[in-house]
Amino acid sequence: MLAADPNGGEGFLESLIADVRAQQQNPLLQAGNLMMVHLGLLYAVIEAWGKWHFTDARVDELLKAPFLADLRDFRNAIFHVSVATEARVLRWGAESDRIVWSQDVERALRAAILDWDANLAERIVQYPRVKDP
């Protein structure tokens, strides 16, 4: 219970505003927020990878990892906030192997997509459906 404030709660409000400003200026908190969005977007790329039937031996092998379902849950927790969000977000960081895996997936996707782009003319001939809108 809050103690009675002779100023009518103004001290509490000022303290709350100062606390919020301190949180907004915390670089670790900002970096964490960027990392959460980054991981959510990584899953969106993985989802498109499968939907568009891209293949690459390294990427496909990495996507067999059990962390893929955890990353999907994490993305859902970040982009579809609910009462279960906190547990799903905290679970992602519980094992450092997940972060290493996500970095490996990101590197493999980047290499595969850059290779695809570098050989686009050949790919269009090889996969005519790429031309379809």
Side-chain angles (χ1 to χ4, degrees), residues 21-44:
R21 283 193 180 123
Q23 288 295 323
Q24 289 172 338
Q25 295 172 2
N26 181 335
L28 184 59
L29 184 62
Q30 292 170 354
N33 290 338
L34 290 173
M35 178 61 84
M36 287 188 285
V37 171
H38 175 82
L39 288 169
L41 292 173
L42 176 62
Y43 185 79

Side-chain angles (χ1 to χ4, degrees), residues 56-132:
D56 175 82
R58 178 74 177 134
V59 172
D60 296 342
E61 187 62 32
L62 285 165
L63 295 183
K64 292 177 184 176
F67 299 132
L68 187 60
D70 291 341
L71 184 59
R72 183 186 60 242
D73 286 346
F74 185 87
R75 186 276 317 260
N76 290 342
I78 297 305
F79 294 137
H80 307 286
V81 177
S82 72
V83 294
T85 291
E86 185 176 353
R88 293 187 299 178
V89 168
L90 293 176
R91 184 174 47 230
W92 177 259
E95 296 177 29
S96 63
D97 291 352
R98 287 184 174 110
I99 299 299
V100 172
W101 172 82
S102 70
Q103 292 169 335
D104 290 345
V105 169
E106 183 182 343
R107 281 190 291 272
L109 282 166
R110 183 181 299 117
I113 291 168
L114 289 173
D115 178 66
W116 181 277
D117 188 53
N119 299 295
L120 190 56
E122 177 185 325
R123 304 280 193 213
I124 289 174
V125 170
Q126 192 176 11
Y127 302 98
R129 66 178 170 72
V130 173
K131 292 186 286 189
D132 297 336

